[in-house]
Amino acid sequence: MDSLLIKGGAPLHGEVTISGAKNAVLPIMAATLLTPEACTIRRVPNLSDVKFMGEILTSLGAEVKCGENALTIRAEKIRGVGDYDLVRKMRGSICILGPLLARLRKARVSMPGGCVIGSRPIDLHLKGLQALGTKISFANGYVVASAPKLIGADLFLGGRAGPTVLGTANVMMAAVLADGVTIIESAACEPEVVDLANFLNAMGAKIAGAGSPTVTVTGVKALHGAEHEVIPDRIEAATFAIAAAATDGEVNILGARPDHMHAVLDKLREARVRIERNGPALTVRRGGRLKPVDITTLPYAGFPTDVQAQMMALMALTPGISIITERIFESRFMHVSELARLGADIAIEGPSAIVKGGKPLSGAPVMASDLRASAALVIAGLTARGATMVKRIYHLDRGYENIDAKLRGLGARIERVEE
Ligand code: EPZ
């Protein structure tokens, strides 16, 4: 398993280009199951999760051709059984359920495992699909779904933590080929859901309201092939902005969509980070002494849970008290104990972490646990005195394209160590 060896203390300087969004490309890849015609997807990030989704689609019978940050997928003849081991290992693959149902009217998909950040239920996915006429049963760890007919319906997808991103994706993809109109209330508003809806509409679907809590899908008979460029990854962009501020450097972030990042940019400015638009670039640097800020993660357009860990690393460096409350996942503080190994002073009180920031961090061996926690450890290691070894960085490779090369390009002293 690879590790990252980081020698802290080098401020980041220069420019970095943001890759395509992991959380947009995964459901878009699943959506290619909805047509027998070829689809081409561009600005595809080179991530292990993308490779994995490609393997899953291939196991279903689709033809997947990889190009330079591009994919051509043709699901001419497919079967409705997702490979148990493949689907179980990646939560994001649950979004093949909706398109398989729409195309074949039946599907068997393994229950997605939970992961370190929480139990990851799919009750809302199933509730939405059942509202469209799907019969759901469970056998040997599989979800078994069948729908002789999919009929448009009005349905409510809100759960205890608000909307569901992949649940909205699944129901939207089932509804595009249903008879009649589906209205999804309490739909997720994330930009990745909008990107999926834009791709589906390019395939001939009729979706209105994506990005708002009420999405209307008018069923059509069939979809055709389409081409699409994936939106840039707002979470990667936020991660590099935070790393620039943490290391007291100055970074030009190219290719980001600031209109997808209002909550993050607002919080960073409140923390006295200067963020300026320079043509296509976002220039990020400190604007004086960092200020502690309180954060609560919320559904979009609120502060994203996927940036919570990275902000905690920044607040660990910031003199004062910051309170970070996680409202989306029940256990997304795995990074706290590892940040503590670097000298961070953080106490967990229920859904909140109280960060007493300002003490300098010192390097140590730490363990990555989930994708965004790993990013937080890298940010902390970039600022810590001495060497930090971040182990199990396969977590990072799931969601960040060439992060060590991109950071080295900004002057970080970081190298990948094969163990
Ligand atoms: C997506 O996961 C993202 N993953 C996650 O990013 C992201 O953190 C999450 O949305 C929230 O923004 C992908 O898009 C591949 P949810 P998803 O369904 O769709 C509860 C990353 O680091 N819930 O929006 O699985 C759930 O337990 C990853 O890139 C139910 O109760 O998340 C959670 O508390 C991590 N029942 C909340 O809703 C359900 O049926 C939000 O989950 C579904 C979800």
Side-chain angles (χ1 to χ4, degrees), residues 219-243:
V220 294
K221 284 283 166 250
L223 296 186
H224 51 72
E227 302 214 354
H228 183 79
E229 180 170 273
V230 175
I231 55 171
D233 196 315
R234 61 192 169 98
I235 308 301
E236 184 194 22
T239 304
F240 277 101
I242 292 168

Side-chain angles (χ1 to χ4, degrees), residues 22-24 26-27 49 91-94 115 117-126 159-167 188 190 192 234-235 298-300 304-306 327-330 332 370-372 398-399:
K22 166 178 86 82
N23 293 348
L26 293 176
D49 269 12
R91 157 96 187 170
S93 56
I94 190 66
C115 60
I117 62 177
S119 57
R120 313 302 295 275
I122 58 168
D123 57 306
L124 298 172
H125 296 238
L126 303 181
R160 56 174 181 71
T164 162
V165 172
L166 289 179
E190 273 69 4
E192 293 76 25
R234 61 192 169 98
I235 308 301
L298 289 168
Y300 193 87
T305 175
D306 293 345
R327 289 280 181 228
I328 304 297
F329 290 107
E330 63 263 32
R332 199 167 196 175
D370 87 278
L371 170 53
R372 308 306 174 182
R398 288 188 45 218

Side-chain angles (χ1 to χ4, degrees), residues 33-48:
L33 295 168
L34 288 162
T35 176
E37 297 181 14
C39 294
T40 298
I41 309 166
R42 287 189 304 281
R43 192 166 34 203
V44 175
N46 177 20
L47 304 171
S48 53

Side-chain angles (χ1 to χ4, degrees), residues 82-111:
D83 178 291
Y84 186 87
D85 280 332
L86 284 178
V87 175
R88 184 175 55 82
K89 283 192 199 124
M90 182 176 76
R91 157 96 187 170
S93 56
I94 190 66
C95 62
I96 63 174
L97 185 55
L100 284 176
L101 266 176
R103 179 86 184 276
L104 301 175
R105 297 291 193 271
K106 65 180 183 350
R108 255 157 52 96
V109 176
S110 90
M111 288 291 283

Side-chain angles (χ1 to χ4, degrees), residues 8-340:
L12 300 183
H13 282 281
E15 63 184 42
V16 65
T17 299
I18 299 305
S19 304
K22 166 178 86 82
N23 293 348
V25 73
L26 293 176
I28 285 170
M29 288 173 74
T32 63
L33 295 168
L34 288 162
T35 176
E37 297 181 14
C39 294
T40 298
I41 309 166
R42 287 189 304 281
R43 192 166 34 203
V44 175
N46 177 20
L47 304 171
S48 53
D49 269 12
V50 170
K51 285 192 189 72
F52 214 56
M53 181 60 98
E55 287 170 26
I56 289 169
L57 298 180
T58 305
S59 77
L60 292 167
E63 184 192 41
V64 179
K65 284 193 193 131
C66 304
E68 181 71 25
N69 288 107
L71 286 173
T72 298
I73 302 173
R74 180 174 195 141
E76 194 171 359
K77 291 191 184 55
I78 54 168
R79 48 181 179 282
V81 184
D83 178 291
Y84 186 87
D85 280 332
L86 284 178
V87 175
R88 184 175 55 82
K89 283 192 199 124
M90 182 176 76
R91 157 96 187 170
S93 56
I94 190 66
C95 62
I96 63 174
L97 185 55
L100 284 176
L101 266 176
R103 179 86 184 276
L104 301 175
R105 297 291 193 271
K106 65 180 183 350
R108 255 157 52 96
V109 176
S110 90
M111 288 291 283
C115 60
V116 284
I117 62 177
S119 57
R120 313 302 295 275
I122 58 168
D123 57 306
L124 298 172
H125 296 238
L126 303 181
K127 171 186 172 187
L129 297 174
Q130 284 167 317
L132 299 177
T134 306
K135 289 181 184 44
I136 299 280
S137 62
F138 302 92
N140 314 109
Y142 279 97
V143 177
V144 182
S146 66
K149 264 174 85 70
L150 284 171
I151 300 163
D154 292 6
L155 53 100
F156 180 80
L157 266 192
R160 56 174 181 71
T164 162
V165 172
L166 289 179
T168 302
N170 251 333
V171 173
M172 218 159 59
M173 289 191 279
V176 293
L177 295 179
D179 290 346
V181 178
T182 296
I183 298 180
I184 306 172
E185 290 295 355
S186 189
C189 303
E190 273 69 4
E192 293 76 25
V193 171
V194 176
D195 208 31
L196 171 64
N198 290 340
F199 177 57
L200 290 167
N201 283 341
M203 294 169 79
K206 288 192 173 60
I207 300 172
S212 85
T214 304
V215 174
T216 303
V217 183
T218 305
V220 294
K221 284 283 166 250
L223 296 186
H224 51 72
E227 302 214 354
H228 183 79
E229 180 170 273
V230 175
I231 55 171
D233 196 315
R234 61 192 169 98
I235 308 301
E236 184 194 22
T239 304
F240 277 101
I242 292 168
T247 58
D248 199 5
E250 176 169 330
V251 173
N252 286 321
I253 297 173
L254 302 178
R257 285 277 303 266
D259 57 316
H260 291 165
M261 301 171 67
H262 289 303
V264 171
L265 300 182
D266 177 63
K267 265 303 160 191
L268 285 173
R269 287 184 174 115
E270 186 187 331
R272 287 207 202 101
V273 176
R274 285 182 64 172
I275 300 156
E276 285 152 355
R277 297 279 309 251
N278 280 321
L282 269 184
T283 302
V284 181
R285 61 177 179 275
R286 283 189 194 179
R289 187 181 147 96
L290 289 172
K291 179 172 161 291
V293 294
D294 294 342
I295 288 162
T296 298
T297 64
L298 289 168
Y300 193 87
F303 193 92
T305 175
D306 293 345
V307 183
Q308 178 254 105
Q310 301 92 310
M311 274 305 276
M312 191 180 291
L314 182 65
M315 289 300 107
L317 310 167
T318 303
I321 307 276
S322 308
I323 299 176
I324 297 179
T325 303
E326 174 56 57
R327 289 280 181 228
I328 304 297
F329 290 107
E330 63 263 32
S331 61
R332 199 167 196 175
F333 286 145
M334 297 294 286
H335 41 287
V336 169
S337 53
E338 295 306 300
L339 287 171

